[in-house]
Amino acid sequence: MEEEDEYWNLYWASKGTHLSSVMMRLGEDQMVNHFPNHYELTRKDLVVKNIKKYRKEMERNGRGAEFDEIVPVTFTLPTDYPLFVEEFRRVESEQGKSLWIMKPCAKCQGVGIFLISKLSQIKKWAARNGDATGRDQYVVSRYVEHPLLVGGRKFDLRIYVLVTNYNPLRAYVHKEGFARFCTAKYSSSPTDLDNVLMHLTNVSVQKHSEDYNEDHGGKWHIKNLQLYLQATYGGEQTEKMFQQIRALIYHSLKAAQNIIINDKHCFELYGYDVLLDANLKPWLIEVNASPSLSATTTSDLALKTGVINDVLNIAFPDDFPECNKNNNRSDSCWKGGGFLPVADELCGYQGW
């Protein structure tokens, strides 16, 4: 941003933008779409670290029963390599095999991801990346080997979450999410581990498949998925699953609450990627700081346009910028169209 560009209300920055110089001179009528250290929730290694720490705090306070596992067992490499090897061998001895997924900590769109089922594979990686630090680090997670399938295909959910304040926490989840499907039918056979079209749901990966459908983009509206699950598993189990997703979102935000630098000039639209296993249990796969808002289909365009419109209506309520002067946003902030509250500590609300 040029210094002379001083007359603006919203700076919609990419996740890699250095915001320190911008944040130092914001007026009451100016907002930025990222919190200064949003990466505490959106880097694959840091989100796991913060969730582990949060869970231990819950257990120390006698509230461990309130927290279910929301992320697969995960290690940061190369730092946790000895711990990972120990766990790999334990799982292999108990189950006869050990399937894991490797992901670079600070990359997106499926870049650099691969599956492993043998320690020799990870040893080759470690030999090449033994001194990796920062953006070059990887996480290795237990692969959800038995995902919920629809039509024999793996999918995950993209859910939009908006946070306007971290301390006290005020957050919303949008009702207009979608499922992203693989184009190849799923198999956990060792011979299929290299088939990214079978294992990675990212549109940036799937669009290169010969079977990619440009009409629907491999996506299914979350309402259609809900109807399918209700017909297949019943309304009670389906509602329980959606409640677990809302709880997953809430606890992940609480895990980062005391670490994120809160600023009244900031808000954040996150793209949560959630995977359902065969028992309808949701697992947090990733939180995206700059979820793609480009459209691949007509319905995709309508959905994402609606999300953006609702974000702006909440970030800039009718009493803006007066509401920013004392960081005291009124109840009008809840009039968010498709956004529904998941937490508001100002009034003791917890929406799951």
Side-chain angles (χ1 to χ4, degrees), residues 27-302:
E28 296 291 351
D29 60 347
Q30 293 179 317
M31 300 287 290
V32 178
N33 70 318
H34 292 298
F35 289 90
N37 58 337
H38 59 80
Y39 48 80
E40 292 287 349
L41 184 63
T42 58
R43 265 187 63 113
K44 298 177 184 68
D45 53 342
L46 296 181
V47 64
V48 171
K49 181 195 74 173
N50 292 328
I51 288 174
K52 287 179 179 178
K53 181 179 178 181
Y54 170 73
R55 181 182 182 183
K56 289 180 180 178
E57 290 175 353
M58 294 277 284
E59 291 173 346
R60 280 198 300 268
N61 295 329
R63 299 176 57 195
E66 299 177 25
F67 184 84
D68 194 11
E69 291 286 358
I70 62 175
V71 293
V73 175
T74 300
F75 300 94
T76 301
L77 299 181
T79 309
D80 297 333
Y81 182 70
L83 295 174
F84 162 70
V85 171
E86 180 181 346
E87 180 67 8
F88 184 100
R89 288 173 173 161
R90 184 193 68 79
V91 173
E92 189 175 44
S93 65
E94 292 181 0
Q95 303 182 13
K97 61 179 179 178
S98 196
L99 191 57
W100 297 74
I101 185 167
M102 293 275 295
K103 301 178 182 180
C105 291
K107 294 183 181 179
C108 58
Q109 297 184 330
V111 175
I113 297 178
F114 60 96
L115 275 63
I116 62 169
S117 60
K118 299 178 181 178
L119 270 181
S120 58
Q121 295 168 293
I122 196 70
K123 287 178 180 178
K124 290 179 181 178
W125 178 91
R128 297 192 306 266
N129 299 274
D131 297 326
T133 58
R135 294 181 60 86
D136 296 325
Q137 285 188 313
Y138 267 65
V139 292
V140 58
S141 304
R142 279 291 304 276
Y143 190 62
V144 180
E145 193 172 344
H146 301 291
L148 180 66
L149 305 178
V150 175
R153 289 173 171 81
K154 178 182 174 180
F155 68 94
D156 70 1
L157 302 178
R158 166 57 58 87
I159 299 171
Y160 295 102
V161 175
L162 174 66
V163 177
T164 57
N165 210 71
Y166 262 102
N167 199 3
L169 182 63
R170 176 170 267 185
Y172 315 73
V173 60
H174 206 279
K175 61 183 180 181
E176 300 290 329
F178 55 86
R180 307 181 299 179
F181 283 84
C182 290
T183 52
K185 290 195 172 183
Y186 179 78
S187 167
S188 60
S189 169
T191 58
D192 292 318
L193 296 187
D194 292 333
N195 189 346
V196 294
L197 299 177
M198 183 182 294
H199 296 287
L200 304 185
T201 61
N202 308 71
V203 175
S204 56
V205 172
Q206 296 296 327
K207 68 181 181 181
H208 297 294
S209 169
E210 293 181 357
D211 297 321
Y212 179 73
N213 188 312
E214 294 186 355
D215 292 333
H216 56 63
K219 297 175 182 178
W220 207 11
H221 196 287
I222 200 167
K223 291 180 181 177
N224 293 331
L225 177 67
Q226 184 175 16
L227 291 173
Y228 169 82
L229 294 177
Q230 289 171 342
T232 307
Y233 299 96
E236 185 175 343
Q237 276 191 275
T238 301
E239 178 55 29
K240 179 183 177 182
M241 181 268 292
F242 278 104
Q243 287 180 349
Q244 289 176 325
I245 291 177
R246 290 191 287 270
L248 175 156
I249 292 169
Y250 172 78
H251 285 300
S252 65
L253 294 173
K254 290 291 291 182
Q257 180 180 30
N258 294 328
I259 303 170
I260 297 288
I261 300 172
N262 198 54
D263 192 297
K264 65 181 181 180
H265 299 285
C266 300
F267 65 90
E268 192 103 29
L269 176 66
Y270 296 108
Y272 271 67
D273 292 341
V274 177
L275 179 70
L276 304 176
D277 67 20
N279 296 317
L280 293 189
K281 175 176 172 52
W283 294 95
L284 177 61
I285 302 302
E286 185 177 355
V287 183
N288 296 275
S290 293
S292 173
L293 296 175
S294 61
T296 56
T297 66
T298 302
S299 59
D300 204 30
L301 177 63

